[in-house]
Structure formats: structure tokens, C-alpha cells
């Protein structure tokens, strides 16, 4: 029986740090999924795999170190 294809409706370009890309490649080696599928699985299941308090602390630490963008996707509604 052939595997079903999971539809990926949205496309976008993403830039990654060297560390993030290395982790993505390691996941690719382990699970044999494309970057698109790996990111989809991670983001769709974020509530199941990430502790909410730790996730919030991580984002707050990133914002404290690098700031938050003043425009772009962060201020868009919908989509």
C-alpha cells in the first residue's frame, strides 16, 4: 500500500541559523522527512512537544537578546 501524501498548502522562504539548520538536518537523517514536513510536524504538534512555560521563556530571552521586529509577519492579522 502506497503512503499517503500530506498536503502542504502554504509556501514561504525561511532563513535559519547554522545551529537550527544543523538540527533540522539531524532530524532529516533520523526520520527521512523533508525540511517542509519536519517543520510542519514540529509546528503542528508544538503544544504536545514543548512545555508552555519553557517555550515562553525561550521566546522572551530571544526578544531580550535580539529584539522583536517592528513590521512584517508579526503585525499581520489573519492567515
Amino acid at each position: 500500500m502506497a503512503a499517503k501524501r500530506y498536503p502542504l498548502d502554504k509556501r514561504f522562504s525561511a532563513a535559519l541559523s547554522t545551529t537550527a539548520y544543523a538540527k533540522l538536518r539531524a532530524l532529516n537523517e533520523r526520520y527521512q522527512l523533508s525540511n517542509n514536513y519536519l517543520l510542519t510536524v514540529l509546528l503542528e504538534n508544538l503544544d504536545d512537544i514543548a512545555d508552555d512555560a519553557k517555550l515562553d521563556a525561550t521566546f522572551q530571552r530571544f526578544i531580550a537578546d535580539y529584539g522583536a521586529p517592528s513590521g512584517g509577519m508579526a503585525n499581520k492579522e489573519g492567515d
Side-chain angles (χ1 to χ4, degrees):
M1 183 172 155
K4 295 189 284 185
R5 294 246 339 135
Y6 187 80
L8 298 177
D9 304 338
K10 302 286 184 188
R11 291 181 180 260
F12 70 99
S13 290
L16 299 174
S17 67
T18 302
T19 302
Y21 189 69
K23 289 184 179 195
L24 193 62
R25 298 305 302 154
L27 287 170
N28 179 280
E29 277 293 314
R30 183 172 180 175
Y31 296 109
Q32 300 298 307
L33 294 171
S34 71
N35 294 349
N36 293 337
Y37 284 119
L38 291 168
L39 291 171
T40 296
V41 169
L42 287 171
L43 291 172
E44 284 189 1
N45 296 285
L46 191 60
D47 293 340
D48 296 332
I49 59 177
D51 177 88
D52 195 45
K54 288 181 180 179
L55 184 63
D56 186 58
T58 300
F59 277 112
Q60 293 304 324
R61 188 171 48 250
F62 182 88
I63 291 167
D65 289 347
Y66 300 103
S70 59
M73 293 300 290
N75 292 331
K76 279 190 172 181
E77 289 186 29
D79 208 29

